[in-house]
Amino acid sequence: MKKLVSILLVLVLSLSLLTVASAEAPKKVGVAMPTMDLQRWIQDGDNMKKQLEAAGYEVDLQYANNDVATQVSQIENMLLNEVEVLVVASIDGGALGTVLQQAKEAGVIVIAYDRLLTGTEYVDYYTTFDNYKVGQIQGQYVVDKFDLENTDKTYTIEFTAGSPDDNNAGLFFAGAYDTVKPYLDNGKLVCVSGQTDFETVATPAWKSETAQARMDNILSGFYADALTGGQKLDICLCSNDSTALGVTNSLVAFGFTAENIPVITGQDCDIANTKNMVQGLQAMSVFKDTRALAEATVKMVGEILSGAEVETNATYANGVKDVASFNCTPVFADVNNYAELLIESGYYTAEDLAVTE
Ligand code: BGC
């Protein structure tokens, strides 16, 4: 009898152990974001977390304060935490090498989020917007705004690009520069400072203050009399909103107002910049709906974890391999369509964008 009881006990125990093992524990997904300094990444993180959790995954979301070492150790922790998919919006796309290899060895699938992971074979997929197209939208805006195809006039332009360690920055700049280059070549556009190569116009870490300081120098060096009938400045082609904000602050401090400020381009539709558009201080931005990017990424995570075919529509060369990518579409935004794009779609509330003097 004793024997029977113990056999039964063992049976019951093993059965319950089996049930515990087979009860689906939620799969874990690590999401490594670069910084909370810029509004767009906060939105990206929030959207990813919300949508992944709704799909039944457990999410480990971390922000690295724009510090590569912090991001590496956050990813190491995510691996210890046994994530099955890693979504990384890098700070420096080429600086994560060994931790990505560790991920590979642990069988973790790596998705580069918005920023490509470069110089490594240990990246599986990439979700982003068409980054070259973002630049083309900015450049085409300038071409159309000044009717460069038909005008006999000459307009002046200065360039501000993004961070040299971000693969996107070169693509944004190339898309914009290639679009306006015919008009620099035929003299309808003139860059008075002569600063047209990416390295010279780049803004490390995309910092507004850095873009502002560089614009201060350009203004005092080449456009000091712009407001008193001297050399005028017509266009500031900026790659994104954080750099556009710095450039706008510089121009406003110099004395420009909504009435005479140069045409400034941007990207992201950050709140401060959208307010500037409403006030006539920034001409346009490019809206990249982070909800759409999160949705595409969550869909990809689902495809990976269920063993389904992963849908991609582009590839990006990362220096070592062509990374299969899913590109979302960037959209032109200005004062005429911002309400529909941003408020009616629920991206921001009207109060978010209310301008208070
Ligand atoms: C993103 C931009 C953003 C910039 C600065 C880029 O990688 O694609 O949307 O403005 O980083 O954070």
Side-chain angles (χ1 to χ4, degrees), residues 25-30 49 52-53 55-60 81 83:
K27 295 187 170 170
K28 289 182 196 162
V29 179
K49 191 164 156 48
L52 282 168
E53 284 175 351
Y57 302 115
E58 191 179 315
V59 181
D60 186 354
N81 193 13
V83 298

Side-chain angles (χ1 to χ4, degrees), residues 208-242:
S208 301
E209 297 75 15
T210 309
Q212 180 168 351
R214 179 167 163 270
M215 198 64 214
D216 288 347
N217 285 334
I218 288 177
L219 286 175
S220 59
F222 303 96
Y223 301 94
D225 302 322
L227 291 170
T228 49
Q231 177 62 61
K232 68 189 174 63
L233 173 57
D234 299 306
I235 305 150
C236 292
L237 202 154
C238 302
S239 284
N240 85 330
D241 277 356
S242 64

Side-chain angles (χ1 to χ4, degrees), residues 38 40-41 114-115 166 168 172 206 240 267-268 288:
L38 241 73
R40 73 145 291 181
W41 299 114
D114 198 59
R115 294 175 170 173
D166 178 353
N168 291 351
F172 299 143
W206 297 92
N240 85 330
Q267 155 185 204
D268 293 332
K288 303 194 304 185

Side-chain angles (χ1 to χ4, degrees), residues 7-323:
I7 288 174
L8 268 176
L9 250 177
V10 169
L11 254 175
V12 168
L13 251 176
S14 355
L15 261 179
S16 54
L17 272 178
L18 257 179
T19 334
V20 169
S22 62
E24 284 277 306
K27 295 187 170 170
K28 289 182 196 162
V29 179
V31 180
M33 287 283 151
T35 174
M36 290 189 112
D37 283 357
L38 241 73
Q39 190 198 324
R40 73 145 291 181
W41 299 114
I42 298 177
Q43 266 153 235
D44 281 274
D46 285 352
N47 285 325
M48 283 294 298
K49 191 164 156 48
K50 226 185 294 163
Q51 294 186 25
L52 282 168
E53 284 175 351
Y57 302 115
E58 191 179 315
V59 181
D60 186 354
L61 168 66
Q62 304 289 338
Y63 286 86
N65 203 16
N66 256 341
D67 180 55
V68 177
T70 303
Q71 188 163 60
V72 169
S73 81
Q74 288 175 338
I75 294 174
E76 279 166 357
N77 281 328
M78 289 174 187
L79 295 178
L80 286 175
N81 193 13
E82 298 190 326
V83 298
E84 292 183 45
V85 176
L86 201 53
V87 178
V88 184
S90 58
I91 295 152
D92 179 337
L96 294 172
T98 54
V99 79
L100 295 179
Q101 185 171 354
Q102 286 167 39
K104 185 82 197 173
E105 282 161 7
V108 175
I109 300 291
V110 176
I111 303 175
Y113 183 92
D114 198 59
R115 294 175 170 173
L116 187 57
L117 294 164
T118 52
T120 176
E121 62 185 280
Y122 306 113
V123 49
D124 299 286
Y125 297 103
Y126 182 29
T127 51
T128 189
F129 287 85
D130 184 336
N131 293 310
Y132 187 80
K133 175 96 183 283
V134 170
Q136 281 179 315
I137 294 173
Q138 296 165 335
Q140 193 58 45
Y141 176 76
V142 167
V143 171
D144 294 344
K145 174 89 189 167
F146 293 91
D147 194 15
L148 294 181
E149 207 36 51
N150 302 305
T151 188
D152 304 324
K153 299 201 182 106
T154 293
Y155 296 99
T156 56
I157 184 167
E158 295 295 335
F159 296 91
T160 302
S163 194
D165 55 8
D166 178 353
N167 188 65
N168 291 351
L171 293 169
F172 299 143
F173 183 69
Y177 193 80
D178 293 351
T179 307
V180 299
K181 183 165 185 303
Y183 308 98
L184 287 163
D185 290 344
N186 70 16
K188 290 185 184 179
L189 289 178
V190 175
C191 177
V192 178
S193 72
Q195 300 178 14
T196 57
D197 64 296
F198 175 71
E199 285 69 31
T200 314
V201 305
T203 312
W206 297 92
K207 270 199 168 307
S208 301
E209 297 75 15
T210 309
Q212 180 168 351
R214 179 167 163 270
M215 198 64 214
D216 288 347
N217 285 334
I218 288 177
L219 286 175
S220 59
F222 303 96
Y223 301 94
D225 302 322
L227 291 170
T228 49
Q231 177 62 61
K232 68 189 174 63
L233 173 57
D234 299 306
I235 305 150
C236 292
L237 202 154
C238 302
S239 284
N240 85 330
D241 277 356
S242 64
T243 54
L245 196 62
V247 165
T248 306
N249 290 343
S250 169
L251 291 164
V252 168
F254 187 83
F256 285 100
T257 64
E259 275 63 55
N260 59 7
I261 198 159
V263 159
I264 299 170
T265 68
Q267 155 185 204
D268 293 332
C269 290
D270 280 350
I271 288 179
N273 299 71
T274 307
K275 287 183 180 176
N276 276 350
M277 288 204 291
V278 174
Q279 291 177 290
L281 291 171
Q282 179 173 322
M284 60 83 73
S285 189
V286 178
F287 180 46
K288 303 194 304 185
D289 193 331
T290 56
R291 294 169 301 189
L293 183 58
E295 205 175 296
T297 311
V298 171
K299 177 171 168 284
M300 191 179 265
V301 169
E303 287 162 349
I304 291 166
L305 289 176
S306 68
E309 193 181 328
V310 176
E311 188 189 347
T312 57
N313 60 10
T315 57
Y316 278 79
N318 85 340
V320 170
K321 67 190 268 195
D322 285 339
V323 185

